[in-house]
Amino acid sequence: MISWASNNKFSSIGGLREGYLIISYEIPIIISILAMAALYNSLNLIEIAESQSGAWGILVNPLAALVFLIATLIATGGFPYEIGEAETEIVAGYGSEYSSVLYATIMGAGYLRMYVMSLLFTIVFLGGWNPMPGFIPDSGIFSGGPILLKSLLVMSLLVFFRSVYPRYRVDQAVRIGWEKLFVLSMMSIGFSIILVTIGI
């Protein structure tokens, strides 16, 4: 919407690229969350985190965790998936006509999205507020520390990936989303169904 409202062709191209990416990463994220929901028999994040007192979700279904992590890289729009705002090709992407506070809001939204996705990864795959498998904190003050630390570690990993890999083209990123992440996410939900069927 922001790219269309600016009435600039570079912003429109950046917005279209972002739209392509949204379609290609949202479905694998949802399917990987559904794989963990099927495994823990709940869509409630609190129940999912409390169910990981024995083993974290990343150990039980690593395929779903990998899909979620790669899709998070695409969702945050940073390297190697900085396609919507690729400065070398289309100026500054969907935010090229904005300045001041609105520009800071647009650019800061990616980091806010990175924190939220890291927090969701921590709750679903890293046991949430449980510092380690088999240990459940009994005070509310202590439980905030592990979840914050784990989220910051996941964010550090995402920022590290941004600095290591070169940028993909939009067709390569969409192909990764549909041909690889979608297939892996379907495999992860199948793996969760098999684990539930055999009683693990």
Side-chain angles (χ1 to χ4, degrees):
M1 201 53 125
I2 288 174
S3 64
W4 176 78
S6 67
N7 197 18
N8 181 338
K9 66 180 178 180
F10 298 114
S11 298
S12 298
I13 291 170
L16 285 173
R17 288 180 172 192
E18 190 68 27
Y20 288 139
L21 289 178
I22 286 173
I23 292 170
S24 68
Y25 72 73
E26 286 287 339
I27 295 172
I29 284 178
I30 291 170
I31 293 174
S32 64
I33 295 292
L34 287 177
M36 299 309 288
L39 192 63
Y40 295 118
N41 198 23
S42 175
L43 281 172
N44 187 350
L45 292 177
I46 295 173
E47 291 178 7
I48 290 174
E50 289 175 351
S51 299
Q52 298 179 48
S53 60
W56 287 350
I58 195 169
L59 301 174
V60 178
N61 194 342
L63 200 56
L66 178 69
V67 168
F68 190 90
L69 195 64
I70 294 172
T72 298
L73 279 171
I74 299 173
T76 56
F79 272 27
Y81 300 102
E82 186 191 35
I83 295 168
E85 54 199 42
E87 288 92 0
T88 58
E89 296 174 5
I90 52 174
V91 189
Y94 50 82
S96 61
E97 286 293 317
Y98 297 100
S99 62
S100 188
V101 175
L102 190 56
Y103 180 75
T105 304
I106 292 170
M107 292 298 130
Y111 291 100
L112 181 63
R113 192 180 322 156
M114 183 191 305
Y115 176 69
V116 169
M117 297 300 278
S118 300
L119 193 61
L120 189 59
F121 184 85
T122 301
I123 291 171
V124 174
F125 296 104
L126 296 180
W129 44 87
N130 301 321
M132 62 187 73
F135 178 76
I136 300 174
D138 49 359
S139 89
I141 297 171
F142 180 71
S143 64
I147 197 167
L148 179 65
L149 182 65
K150 291 177 193 178
S151 297
L152 290 176
L153 288 174
V154 172
M155 284 180 68
S156 301
L157 181 69
L158 294 175
V159 171
F160 172 73
F161 285 148
R162 283 182 170 191
S163 63
V164 171
Y165 293 105
R167 186 171 54 83
Y168 290 111
R169 296 188 320 259
V170 66
D171 60 325
Q172 292 171 330
V174 170
R175 188 175 299 120
I176 287 171
W178 282 113
E179 293 180 1
K180 294 182 176 55
L181 289 182
F182 181 72
V183 173
L184 288 174
S185 64
M186 294 304 286
M187 289 171 60
S188 73
I189 201 164
F191 183 65
S192 289
I193 290 171
I194 290 170
L195 289 178
V196 169
T197 303
I198 63 176
I200 292 180

